[in-house]
Amino acid sequence: MRDGRGTGRGHAVVAGAGIGGLLAARVLSEHFERVSVIERDALPEDGVPRRGVPQSHHAHGMLSKGFEVLQDLFPGLREDLVARGALVRDVQSDVNWFNDGRRLRREPSQLPCLMVGRPGLERYLRSRVAALPGVEIHQRTEILEPLADPAGRVTGVRLLRVNAEPEVLDADLVVDATGRSNRGATWLRALGYEAAPEERVDSGLVYVSREYRRRPGDADADAFVVGASADAPRGGVALSGEGDRWLVTLFGMNGDVPPVDPEGYHRFAQRLAVPDLHRLLERLEPLTAPRLMRSPVSIRRRYERLARFPEGYLVIADALCQFNPTYGQGMTVAACEAAALRECLAEESAAPLAQRFFRRAARITDVAWDMSVGGDLRFPFVEGRRTPRVRLLNRYVARIHRAAEADPTVGRAFLAVANLEEPPQRLMAPAMLARVLRPRSAPARSTASAAPAAPATGVHPAERAAS
């Protein structure tokens, strides 16, 4: 792999020092002599959530594919994070999955997942990016607008530092990684271009998170994922993490909101489709009060459909597409887009960089967007076009969940697709169709006991291997 040293293309500016911006900066450092990351927030040194990322208080998922990309971009990342308390686990054998109230059968899958808090991951990536030659991270600085020459090519940005006058920073490439709060439409119109067409889906999601102390023997798994279903439009996630803690997020839809008082929070967990997560909470010692977050509408901005787009300008990560967070796709999609940008920069092509990148990013986004939006459209209160294809796929996914109770091969295939390791067509292969559609007797629902099925080991084999 490349060592991160620029190859002399000049100066790149990245707007935003979140996960997407840091990954973009890492890739750009291979091709530009200088990379400036501009962030309006003060960046904490202790790994606490920063103001501009309020979702940092809640559970985040780094899917298997995203973890793979991170390790490629940052050699030694796995060992470093495990040493800091993060966990690396098998996504099937170490996690209790419940989909449509059905427990996916556990078995080793060779699909590793990373369990680490968003603030800790962001702080680690920021330290690695800041150490790259030619890279500077500017905090408490806001980009007011990109600037362009008479031909429409972006040539830099106008920015404002704290207690200073606006200034101009020249650039050969500007990347918008400003996330959910991005001003991309306003910036494009100011440059004389149309805003990208948008697709929107509002699930009415509200989620509430709380931290608990984690001790050996708490549970027979290192994570619990209870998905919402049409019959029970609520769910929850419990993730083991650094600092000997559990991070628990409960979510509801269509006005069925998890309460923020401790007793109400536990009563809401009791109403989930299966009792396992509630029983876990009943055994744990809480460390924080419940914290509420209202999820913004899922928005996909179709930059690949624009006939005109300024040269020297790109958009990436949540500024390109923001997902329903219950599917845990955002950080992994950002990582995959960074990998796609890396490929585009390495190519010898006469086609504009933005055109090539947006087309590749669209193919990445297609898979994640179809899964999350298709899942949202299971709920009758979510507005959206339910095509015959969407209805058929949702019925088929319900059959997959039923089959995965008894057949770990089906479960592994489903998780490989959900983790963006395999294309959705993998679930339609003839051998998989035969497994999914095989007649079965009515399965029993989860009957987990109030006590853990087996003590959780103090040191996981993945941690021993990394130490």
Side-chain angles (χ1 to χ4, degrees):
M1 62 166 291
R2 299 172 187 266
D3 62 7
R5 290 176 295 193
T7 59
R9 290 193 187 180
H11 183 209
V13 169
V14 179
I19 300 294
L22 292 171
L23 296 181
R26 165 63 185 88
V27 169
L28 293 169
S29 72
E30 298 178 352
H31 297 274
F32 288 82
E33 292 177 341
R34 294 174 55 215
V35 179
S36 298
V37 182
I38 310 299
E39 173 54 53
R40 66 181 182 182
D41 279 352
L43 297 173
E45 293 298 326
D46 53 3
V48 299
R50 57 187 174 90
R51 186 184 65 177
V53 191
Q55 66 268 31
S56 290
H57 293 279
H58 306 272
H60 278 66
M62 178 58 72
L63 305 181
S64 176
K65 184 63 178 180
F67 186 31
E68 176 185 321
V69 174
L70 288 188
Q71 292 181 90
D72 182 47
L73 292 176
F74 300 96
L77 172 142
R78 174 179 179 146
E79 294 77 10
D80 289 347
L81 291 177
V82 168
R84 299 180 183 201
L87 305 180
V88 177
R89 296 295 188 254
D90 186 290
V91 75
Q92 186 169 358
S93 65
D94 297 322
V95 180
N96 279 329
W97 290 88
F98 300 92
N99 299 302
D100 290 344
R102 305 177 187 279
R103 179 171 178 163
L104 185 147
R105 185 165 177 178
R106 288 166 58 179
E107 185 172 282
S109 67
Q110 306 306 312
L111 294 171
C113 60
L114 174 65
M115 298 182 191
V116 62
R118 167 69 181 262
L121 177 61
E122 192 172 296
R123 181 189 180 194
Y124 173 80
L125 295 179
R126 191 163 63 241
S127 69
R128 292 288 301 265
V129 169
L132 293 170
V135 176
E136 292 185 342
I137 299 178
H138 303 264
Q139 57 182 316
R140 303 181 69 195
T141 304
E142 183 173 4
I143 291 181
L144 301 177
E145 59 183 348
L147 303 173
D149 62 19
R153 177 186 174 84
V154 170
T155 58
V157 296
R158 190 186 312 278
L159 53 80
L160 181 65
R161 304 180 193 273
V162 174
N163 300 323
E165 294 295 320
E167 62 184 273
V168 172
L169 185 63
D170 293 335
D172 300 281
L173 178 67
V174 174
V175 179
D176 177 4
T178 52
R180 293 177 178 266
S181 63
N182 83 95
R183 299 172 57 198
T186 301
W187 286 351
L188 278 178
R189 291 191 185 101
L191 293 171
Y193 293 84
E194 292 184 1
E198 294 182 350
E199 298 173 9
R200 293 173 172 254
V201 176
D202 186 0
S203 65
L205 178 72
V206 177
Y207 49 104
V208 179
S209 297
R210 195 178 193 192
E211 295 182 17
Y212 295 80
R213 190 178 309 281
R214 180 168 61 93
R215 296 185 177 92
D218 279 341
D220 66 331
D222 294 296
F224 291 73
V225 180
V226 181
S229 67
D231 295 332
R234 64 193 73 89
V237 177
L239 300 179
S240 301
E242 69 272 32
D244 293 323
R245 62 182 179 142
W246 290 92
L247 179 54
V248 178
T249 296
L250 304 180
F251 63 87
M253 307 164 71
N254 197 34
D256 189 4
V257 178
V260 294
D261 65 283
E263 294 77 14
Y265 190 73
H266 280 226
R267 285 195 303 271
F268 186 91
Q270 196 170 19
R271 296 173 52 224
L272 300 183
V274 296
D276 303 64
L277 185 49
H278 174 254
R279 289 172 176 168
L280 173 67
L281 298 189
E282 291 295 290
R283 298 193 294 271
L284 301 182
E285 174 191 350
L287 297 176
T288 65
R291 184 186 295 267
L292 181 142
M293 176 85 181
R294 296 188 183 276
S295 176
V297 175
S298 298
I299 303 175
R300 182 176 185 183
R301 300 177 178 91
R302 306 301 300 250
Y303 284 94
E304 78 280 6
R305 295 181 178 176
L306 290 174
R308 294 177 62 248
F309 194 80
E311 190 177 352
Y313 186 56
L314 289 178
V315 184
I316 198 169
D318 277 4
L320 195 59
C321 184
Q322 54 198 54
F323 298 91
N324 179 329
T326 62
Y327 298 94
Q329 300 164 315
M331 294 194 300
T332 293
V333 169
C336 292
E337 289 172 359
L341 176 59
R342 192 186 204 188
E343 294 172 357
C344 291
L345 289 168
E347 291 173 347
E348 296 292 338
S349 174
L353 174 62
Q355 181 185 84
R356 291 182 286 119
F357 171 70
F358 287 143
R359 287 177 178 173
R360 294 190 190 190
R363 289 194 292 269
I364 295 166
T365 306
D366 281 342
V367 176
W369 182 258
D370 287 349
M371 284 193 292
S372 62
V373 168
D376 286 346
L377 291 177
R378 291 175 299 160
F379 306 102
F381 50 81
V382 175
E383 294 184 6
R385 184 166 172 258
R386 292 166 174 80
T387 64
R389 177 177 177 271
V390 168
R391 295 179 186 275
L392 177 63
L393 288 177
N394 280 337
R395 287 197 295 269
Y396 184 64
V397 170
R399 293 292 296 264
I400 288 174
H401 295 329
R402 179 176 177 179
E405 283 188 294
D407 190 339
T409 299
V410 173
R412 199 271 179 197
F414 169 76
L415 291 175
V417 172
N419 279 264
L420 305 184
E421 290 280 8
E422 299 278 356
Q425 293 79 4
R426 169 80 171 83
L427 296 172
M428 302 293 183
M432 191 57 56
L433 279 167
R435 287 178 175 272
V436 172
L437 301 179
R438 181 182 303 156
R440 289 177 171 83
S441 58
R445 297 292 183 170
S446 171
T447 57
S449 62
T457 56
V459 180
H460 192 274
E463 293 175 343
R464 289 196 294 267
S467 61

